[in-house]
Amino acid sequence: MTAHSEAPGDSPAGPVGIDELIERVRADYRRVEAREAHEEARSGDALLVDIRYQALRDRDGLIPGALVIERNELEWRLDPSGSHRVPEATGHDRRIVVICNEGYASTLAVESLHALGLHRATDLVDGFQAWRAAGLPVTPVPTAG
């Protein structure tokens, strides 16, 4: 007989819904607002990582200086001990601010980064849409042609 360990979304009462899972994950770290993320990036204290998919980047633009890593590659690119890491993945103490479109997918991404030992990872409250609403810099995606 093998021991059973609970899956991340399971509790003694059974599985949880996505809203409860997001709430549980967010209880374990402090998220940042758009202006705070901007200041941390400008001062060199944080790496901004945009995980939005291409269609959203094409539609809404890019955050200057943010590293674009699509969600399905995030862990491989940011694991400082991984063979597929980006040069910016310099250590487990690196401050990373994950940015998705509205601040939900980024929460789940942060949970995964914490599991890799990136304990200073956080995400942007309300995502890219909050960044843009705050009037922070956005550049259009160059179009071909």
Side-chain angles (χ1 to χ4, degrees):
M1 182 181 280
T2 60
H4 171 71
S5 63
E6 289 183 12
D10 286 347
S11 71
V16 298
I18 188 64
D19 293 334
E20 184 177 339
L21 178 61
I22 295 256
E23 187 177 307
R24 286 181 185 184
V25 171
R26 288 177 178 168
D28 290 337
Y29 68 97
R30 190 181 73 76
R31 304 174 79 211
V32 295
E33 300 285 338
R35 293 203 180 279
E36 181 181 359
H38 182 250
E39 288 304 315
E40 285 186 30
R42 279 185 46 193
S43 69
D45 291 338
L47 173 65
L48 302 181
V49 178
D50 185 345
I51 65 169
R52 294 174 301 143
Y53 53 88
Q54 185 68 49
L56 290 175
R57 295 191 311 268
D58 288 346
R59 182 189 76 190
D60 293 337
L62 300 168
I63 295 172
L67 183 63
V68 173
I69 303 175
E70 292 209 16
R71 176 64 191 96
N72 63 326
E73 297 181 356
L74 188 68
E75 293 82 359
W76 285 269
R77 301 292 185 233
L78 293 181
D79 178 2
S81 61
S83 60
H84 298 292
R85 70 185 174 278
V86 294
E88 295 87 350
T90 56
H92 287 92
D93 288 333
R94 182 77 196 254
R95 173 71 161 170
I96 298 169
V97 178
V98 181
I99 302 166
C100 68
N101 193 49
E102 295 181 337
Y104 296 99
S106 57
T107 294
L108 299 176
V110 167
E111 179 182 39
S112 184
L113 295 178
H114 286 175
L116 287 174
L118 295 160
H119 61 96
R120 295 185 66 216
T122 188
D123 71 322
L124 184 63
V125 174
D126 296 328
F128 177 86
Q129 297 307 320
W131 181 278
R132 184 170 61 179
L136 294 169
V138 174
T139 57
V141 174
T143 56

